[in-house]
Amino acid sequence: MSMSREKLLKTIQEVANTKQPTLSLFNSDLTELPREIALLTHLESLDLSDNSLRSLPNEIGLLTNLKHLNLDYNDLEKLPSSLTKLIELKELDVSHNNLKKLPKDIGNLSQLQRFNLSANKLKELPNSFKHLSQLTELDCSENQLNHLPAFIGNFKRLMSLNASENQLLSLPDSLINLCELTHLNVGYNKIKEIPTSICQLSSLCLLDVSKNQISHLPTAIEQLTDLRSLILRSNKLKSLPKQIGHLHKLKNLDIAYNKIVKLPKEIAQLYQ
């Protein structure tokens, strides 16, 4: 629903007067956010999703009490550096925009727990990203990343990592440090092998490596004793290791569109 500038300014003033902690401008056909947004320094949650915003005013950095900011489904090509002053942010969604890079000081958002970067045009993550040590969920899928930086291993609280639909050639060994990780999706990349280090992620429940170039599974796959779902479809597998029969909690095994002609007899153990 389209919102006129006059109505938008009136809404901002009302929220400023009442100290309402949340403001949703979802699907309001906005093409710009007025500088008067600076009046809402008390705001804790702001939803600007599903609009036509191409930029944000620097004044967004004055909303220093924000904990939740949703900017998905806009036309943003960059984020203002002032956004990195929102140090109370716990959840930031900038998915489905046209971002080619992130502010170099994005690491200042050190309280961030959930960060959705999906469906942009990012080719790399800035070095300061390594300071986002409180992350529990990171979605950087549908970008143009050709590698995951080693500092991804710094995110010791990370439970869900989605890096699917990029151009990844390999996975860093530092993933071994993500001892809380339960969901790992790196499907639709160019990965040729699953590093043995991933097999030490004992909390992993879902591993999706579909649509890559993987020709074999490490025998250490048996160490993923909590694994419920293993998605291997559309790779170059010719066989499965017999150790796969040790994954007693596995409920979903997808090996479609590979080159497997014979399954190990141990796979029957999955159905006992």
Side-chain angles (χ1 to χ4, degrees), residues 54-56 58 71 76-84 92 94 97 99 101-103 106 115 117:
R54 292 189 175 184
S55 63
L56 296 174
N58 287 329
L71 297 164
L76 296 171
E77 296 184 355
K78 66 177 181 178
L79 299 174
S81 59
S82 62
L83 186 137
T84 65
L92 175 58
V94 294
N97 278 282
L99 299 175
K101 62 180 181 179
L102 298 174
I106 195 72
F115 199 177
L117 299 159

Side-chain angles (χ1 to χ4, degrees), residues 93-97 115-120 139-143:
D93 191 337
V94 294
S95 63
H96 297 92
N97 278 282
F115 199 177
N116 191 343
L117 299 159
S118 66
N120 278 286
D139 189 343
C140 55
S141 63
E142 297 181 64
N143 276 285

Side-chain angles (χ1 to χ4, degrees), residues 186-253:
V186 289
Y188 288 79
N189 279 287
K190 301 177 181 179
I191 299 166
K192 293 185 177 180
E193 65 177 356
I194 299 175
T196 303
S197 55
I198 282 185
C199 298
Q200 297 186 43
L201 299 177
S202 58
S203 296
L204 208 58
C205 295
L206 178 146
L207 175 59
D208 187 340
V209 293
S210 58
K211 197 69 174 177
N212 277 285
Q213 299 173 20
I214 297 167
S215 59
H216 71 281
L217 293 183
T219 57
I221 195 81
E222 65 180 344
Q223 297 176 28
L224 298 177
T225 54
D226 264 355
L227 206 60
R228 268 81 164 174
S229 185
L230 178 57
I231 315 298
L232 301 167
R233 65 164 42 219
S234 300
N235 276 285
K236 297 182 178 181
L237 295 170
K238 294 182 179 180
S239 63
L240 296 177
K242 64 181 181 180
Q243 288 82 0
I244 204 161
H246 296 161
L247 302 178
H248 299 302
K249 293 185 180 180
L250 198 63
K251 301 296 183 185
N252 179 30
L253 174 62

Side-chain angles (χ1 to χ4, degrees), residues 42-69:
H42 69 284
L43 208 61
E44 296 182 10
S45 179
L46 176 59
D47 187 351
L48 295 168
S49 62
D50 203 8
N51 283 289
S52 300
L53 297 172
R54 292 189 175 184
S55 63
L56 296 174
N58 287 329
E59 285 77 9
I60 195 80
L62 298 176
L63 309 187
T64 53
N65 284 299
L66 270 186
K67 292 180 173 59
H68 307 277
L69 177 58

Side-chain angles (χ1 to χ4, degrees), residues 6-47:
E6 181 181 358
K7 183 177 180 181
L8 177 57
L9 292 176
K10 182 179 180 181
T11 298
I12 290 174
Q13 190 61 60
E14 288 176 353
V15 173
N17 292 340
T18 61
K19 300 298 181 183
Q20 178 182 320
T22 65
L23 173 59
S24 177
L25 296 171
F26 162 79
N27 193 22
S28 297
D29 201 26
L30 300 179
T31 57
E32 64 177 350
L33 191 65
R35 298 174 63 181
E36 285 81 359
I37 197 72
L39 295 172
L40 307 182
T41 55
H42 69 284
L43 208 61
E44 296 182 10
S45 179
L46 176 59
D47 187 351

Side-chain angles (χ1 to χ4, degrees), residues 116-128:
N116 191 343
L117 299 159
S118 66
N120 278 286
K121 299 178 181 179
L122 299 172
K123 293 185 177 181
E124 62 180 359
L125 302 177
N127 191 52
S128 72

